[in-house]
Amino acid sequence: MQSGKRYHIVTFGCQMNESDTEVLDGILESLGYEPAVTKEEADLLVLVTCAVRKKAEDKVAAFLGRLRRWKEEKRGRILAVGGCMSQQEEMASYIKKNFRHVDIIFGTDSLYRFPQLMEETMESRKTVVDIDIQEGVKREGQPVNRKSSFHAWVPIIYGCNNFCSYCIVPYVRGREKSRTFEDVVEEVKALGNKGYREVTLLGQNVDAYGKDLPDNVNLASLMEELNRVEGIQRLRFLTSHPRDFNENIIKAVSGLSKVCEHVHLPLQAGSNRILKKMNRGYTRQHYLGLIDLIRNYVEGVAITTDIIVGYPGETKEEFEETMELVERIRFDAAYTFVYSPRQGTPAAREKDNIPKEVKKERIQKLIERQKEIGLEINRQLEGQLVEVLVEGISRENSSMLTGRTRTNKLAHFPGSPGLEGEAAHIRIKEAKTWHLQGELEYTKGQKLKAGVLE
Ligand code: SAH
Ligand code: SF4
Ligand code: F3S
């Protein structure tokens, strides 16, 4: 036991890393470490890294450089680097060689062996590296320290089998491994009992849930079961893939009361030639068909996406095909990225031949147009009454609360603290590109009188 020692974790990357961090947090606390609010107060600092684009890795490398001083400032401090970046062999070696003040280098799977790695480094006083990937799901039985007391990330499938040509994720997260139906249901029931209101089911490819399990279960049947869990008010799922996304999932979104009306369906590109080169396994026609199906079934649904510009060989016309789909589909929001070559992926063997300026021009054009479309869509909500789940006090203005609509839009409205985790109904007064501004009308049947809850 490490009584009196304190830890701090800095997380980069996606929700899967957020979720992994909650497990690591639980493991460290079970070792007797106490949480530290800042790294200055910490004896143990852990970085959970991302490798999806070069920028993400550069950020970590710059941070690691600055941490030399942190390490020297106090004797006995331990610095650990885990996650997707260090899972790559060449990156683990690079970190070991260039940042000698790092004590532990661990991967996405060896997270569960962190206690042993701590012991090893403390005994040997040498850098310990463990990036082995072992079969099976190890989350069961692990302590989880959740950041929020009302929203929970619940991973249901780890890894990815898709091997999109540009993507590092399958190499750092391994093959698809679903948790059992019973384990997930049990976890969500326990969350409901503890007062959690909202659950986001996570997977790199969440639609593939159950494919690797012997029993005949899938994302739709799982959500059907979870829809019955008492206490839980909202269910979400991330991230979908157009190859596996299907009518059953759409029916679950439309028919199950707790499943929120939001689908995140990465498009990546609008040209069939580029989609093929990306190994995405669908055409633009198939994608458009899915969008039609979603909109036919689910009234008021929000659809968001991911798009990459500047894939090797992407012509001006092919980029325009992406723009044309953005125009036609009208996404609520799009996360847009400039292609970044990732060592070891098939795309990285192709020449990254689109000049930087052209990539920049393309992404700016895309962002600008998408911003206009997003705002136009949000404006349609002006004057409407929407349900939000209150997340807390706004970061910019302490007299404002923030919450999310079922369609996953951020909303700010005046209100007093204490409503965190509650469902509230707000009237939308003004729509912006990235958020909505509203006024509270009532929470859970309570009416407001002159701005005060009765
Ligand atoms: N599993 C999820 C998330 C993958 S990473 C999914 O399949 O959608 C999130 C997004 O990052 C991807 O959707 C893609 O748009 C983008 N991305 C992945 N690799 C990239 C690369 N090498 N360069 C630029 N963007 C990339
Ligand atoms: Fe990467 Fe494609 Fe898997 Fe998403 S589906 S994680 S983009 S390989
Ligand atoms: Fe990054 Fe790993 Fe997520 S590479 S996007 S943190 S799965």
Side-chain angles (χ1 to χ4, degrees):
M1 287 300 250
Q2 292 295 320
S3 55
K5 296 264 186 201
R6 304 174 80 183
Y7 70 94
H8 185 72
I9 309 176
V10 180
T11 308
F12 301 82
C14 68
Q15 293 88 353
M16 200 51 103
N17 266 10
E18 297 285 340
S19 170
D20 279 354
T21 298
E22 294 182 340
V23 174
L24 187 61
D25 205 288
I27 293 176
L28 295 178
E29 222 168 282
S30 73
L31 288 178
Y33 278 85
E34 284 165 29
V37 181
T38 65
K39 66 180 190 308
E40 279 66 38
E41 297 161 13
D43 304 285
L44 166 63
L45 178 60
V46 190
L47 312 191
V48 181
T49 64
C50 172
V52 78
R53 282 168 292 275
K54 184 171 182 294
K55 242 195 216 161
E57 293 189 331
D58 289 349
K59 244 204 246 170
V60 172
F63 192 35
L64 277 176
R66 294 198 302 273
L67 286 173
R68 272 195 194 94
R69 268 196 55 196
W70 176 86
K71 176 77 195 235
E72 285 160 8
E73 265 163 13
K74 199 171 155 196
R75 259 181 77 106
R77 274 183 165 169
I78 294 178
L79 177 57
V81 186
C84 296
M85 179 179 168
S86 42
Q87 181 61 54
Q88 306 161 89
E89 235 173 276
E90 58 292 355
M91 271 300 156
S93 315
Y94 165 80
I95 295 168
K96 191 171 177 203
K97 193 164 154 234
N98 291 283
F99 303 101
R100 292 175 169 268
H101 53 300
V102 175
D103 302 286
I104 301 174
I105 298 167
F106 66 106
T108 50
D109 206 61
S110 41
L111 152 80
Y112 301 97
R113 298 190 289 277
F114 200 79
Q116 291 95 291
L117 303 180
M118 282 288 287
E119 236 171 72
E120 268 178 52
T121 191
M122 289 200 304
E123 260 171 38
S124 68
R125 299 194 173 269
K126 285 200 181 118
T127 304
V128 176
V129 183
D130 179 355
I131 54 170
D132 292 345
I133 291 198
Q134 290 167 7
E135 286 296 302
V137 173
K138 292 120 211 144
R139 181 189 171 92
E140 307 334 319
Q142 296 285 350
V144 182
N145 274 359
R146 295 182 193 277
K147 280 218 171 75
S148 162
S149 56
F150 54 89
H151 170 266
W153 304 116
V154 174
I156 61 169
I157 176 167
Y158 295 93
C160 185
N161 291 359
N162 280 326
F163 288 95
C164 301
S165 65
Y166 50 82
C167 184
I168 196 72
V169 171
Y171 305 89
V172 293
R173 288 276 174 182
R175 295 298 69 71
E176 287 168 3
K177 294 177 278 276
S178 297
R179 294 175 68 196
T180 69
F181 197 84
E182 294 72 29
D183 282 335
V184 176
V185 173
E186 215 173 282
E187 181 167 349
V188 175
K189 277 187 180 162
L191 288 165
N193 280 335
K194 278 193 217 148
Y196 280 83
R197 304 269 197 256
E198 185 176 68
V199 162
T200 305
L201 305 175
L202 286 184
Q204 302 307 335
N205 181 15
V206 77
D207 309 328
Y209 176 74
K211 278 188 174 175
D212 57 323
L213 294 175
D215 10 352
N216 194 13
V217 295
N218 53 47
L219 179 61
S221 65
L222 179 66
M223 292 201 287
E224 195 179 328
E225 185 65 29
L226 298 180
N227 198 58
R228 287 193 269 270
V229 175
E230 248 177 80
I232 301 298
Q233 294 172 359
R234 290 177 168 191
L235 287 169
R236 301 183 182 282
F237 56 99
L238 271 178
T239 296
S240 288
H241 190 297
R243 178 160 33 194
D244 294 309
F245 190 78
N246 57 45
E247 194 164 356
N248 279 341
I249 303 172
I250 302 174
K251 279 184 184 162
V253 179
S254 80
L256 300 171
S257 60
K258 295 180 184 177
V259 178
C260 290
E261 296 75 21
H262 170 221
V263 177
H264 182 67
L265 195 63
L267 166 66
Q268 311 301 4
S271 135
N272 281 340
R273 189 184 78 94
I274 297 289
L275 284 172
K276 191 153 190 225
K277 283 182 72 181
M278 287 178 162
N279 191 28
R280 289 290 289 177
Y282 56 87
T283 58
R284 57 191 268 125
Q285 290 76 11
H286 178 77
Y287 190 92
L288 282 168
L290 288 176
I291 298 292
D292 277 349
L293 209 54
I294 297 168
R295 289 193 168 139
N296 282 341
Y297 269 104
V298 193
E299 217 195 304
V301 67
I303 303 176
T304 56
T305 199
D306 293 348
I307 294 171
I308 297 175
V309 305
Y311 187 84
E314 182 190 64
T315 64
K316 186 170 180 296
E317 291 71 32
E318 285 165 341
F319 167 68
E320 288 303 330
E321 285 188 77
T322 300
M323 286 301 294
E324 195 229 321
L325 278 198
V326 165
E327 206 63 60
R328 207 187 308 175
I329 294 169
R330 295 177 66 80
F331 294 107
D332 289 75
Y335 299 91
T336 52
F337 309 102
V338 168
Y339 167 72
S340 168
R342 303 286 65 210
Q343 213 185 4
T345 62
R349 290 197 285 276
E350 287 191 56
K351 202 159 173 264
D352 183 15
N353 64 343
I354 314 285
K356 237 187 183 165
E357 310 78 67
V358 174
K359 284 179 177 168
K360 212 168 156 191
E361 216 174 273
R362 287 182 188 170
I363 198 160
Q364 267 165 2
K365 183 170 176 193
L366 175 59
I367 290 172
E368 281 312 311
R369 186 60 193 124
Q370 177 54 45
K371 263 167 78 178
E372 292 168 0
I373 293 171
L375 182 60
E376 283 163 19
I377 295 176
N378 285 349
R379 283 225 169 106
Q380 289 165 4
L381 290 171
E382 284 178 350
Q384 287 197 29
L385 191 64
V386 297
E387 183 207 275
V388 295
L389 189 71
V390 182
E391 294 188 349
I393 300 164
S394 158
R395 260 187 251 158
E396 287 113 56
N397 181 344
S398 62
S399 63
M400 299 284 275
L401 296 177
T402 68
R404 265 177 208 278
T405 65
R406 285 177 60 98
T407 50
N408 208 34
K409 293 176 195 273
L410 206 58
H412 299 306
F413 53 99
S416 45
L419 286 179
E420 195 177 82
E422 295 291 331
H425 285 78
I426 64 168
R427 180 79 59 189
I428 302 303
K429 296 291 172 190
E430 198 185 348
K432 306 268 186 187
T433 311
W434 300 113
H435 73 271
L436 306 165
Q437 275 172 359
E439 271 170 25
L440 189 60
E441 293 226 344
Y442 62 93
T443 65
K444 275 215 217 134
Q446 293 176 296
K447 293 268 178 220
L448 281 178
K449 220 185 223 168
V452 181
L453 279 176
E454 270 180 0

